[in-house]
Amino acid sequence: VQGSFSGVKATIDYDPDNVTRSSVTATIDVNTVNTGDSGRDDELKSSDFFNVSHFPTATFVSTSVSKNGDGLWIHGNLTLHGITKPVVLNVKGPTPPVQGSDGRTRSSFSATSTINRITFGIGKQFPSAIVGDPVKLQIKLVIIKQ
């Protein structure tokens, strides 16, 4: 099952000349989960999974950024369901900058990582035969030069 979160706010300081000076801070409104099935979304928001009434947001704060061939490694701490664990994002990009119709310069990135839902205390009463333990994260974003 694939899903997405529409309520994401992030600050990205990207230094293409020295990526080690780059950083990312993101806050995700977990209540905005959308799998295309409202019943499933309600179950994911319940105390069985995300428990949005107690843990309405997830956060990611980078701890380091380094080159990875044509992309980047972003190491950071993900806090989800009240539990903080280290996560590494494998980032592709940035794409070459383009100027939008508003005159602002944009580039895009994509990133992937895999987390284990059990280590974040999510759905731990459900065996992996019912709900898989590894969860693949896919992030697609556009940055606008300030």
Side-chain angles (χ1 to χ4, degrees):
V1 174
Q2 292 187 5
S4 63
F5 297 96
S6 59
V8 178
K9 294 184 192 246
T11 300
I12 301 164
D13 291 319
Y14 177 63
D15 185 341
D17 297 323
N18 184 353
V19 297
T20 63
R21 292 190 294 212
S22 302
S23 65
V24 177
T25 303
T27 301
I28 301 100
D29 179 352
V30 181
N31 199 49
T32 66
V33 65
N34 181 357
T35 64
D37 180 321
S38 61
R40 181 186 305 122
D41 297 346
D42 290 342
E43 180 65 16
L44 288 172
K45 294 174 191 179
S46 77
S47 60
D48 286 340
F49 290 96
F50 290 128
N51 197 0
V52 297
S53 64
H54 287 97
F55 307 107
T57 60
T59 59
F60 176 82
V61 178
S62 64
T63 56
S64 69
V65 178
S66 60
K67 281 291 221 183
N68 171 22
D70 291 337
L72 304 169
W73 289 117
I74 301 178
H75 293 253
N77 292 313
L78 175 65
T79 301
L80 178 61
H81 202 247
I83 297 171
T84 302
K85 297 285 182 185
V87 171
V88 179
L89 301 176
N90 182 3
V91 180
K92 302 296 180 208
T95 59
V98 296
Q99 189 171 27
S101 60
D102 61 0
R104 296 165 72 185
T105 303
R106 293 166 165 74
S107 292
S108 63
F109 292 85
S110 63
T112 58
S113 189
T114 301
I115 63 171
N116 186 308
R117 70 175 171 90
I118 298 297
T119 63
F120 285 95
I122 296 173
K124 58 186 174 187
Q125 68 275 26
F126 296 98
S128 59
I130 295 175
V131 179
D133 293 341
V135 176
K136 183 175 184 180
L137 303 177
Q138 295 179 304
I139 302 163
K140 296 178 182 175
L141 64 104
V142 174
I143 60 171
I144 301 171
K145 185 174 184 179
Q146 300 296 308

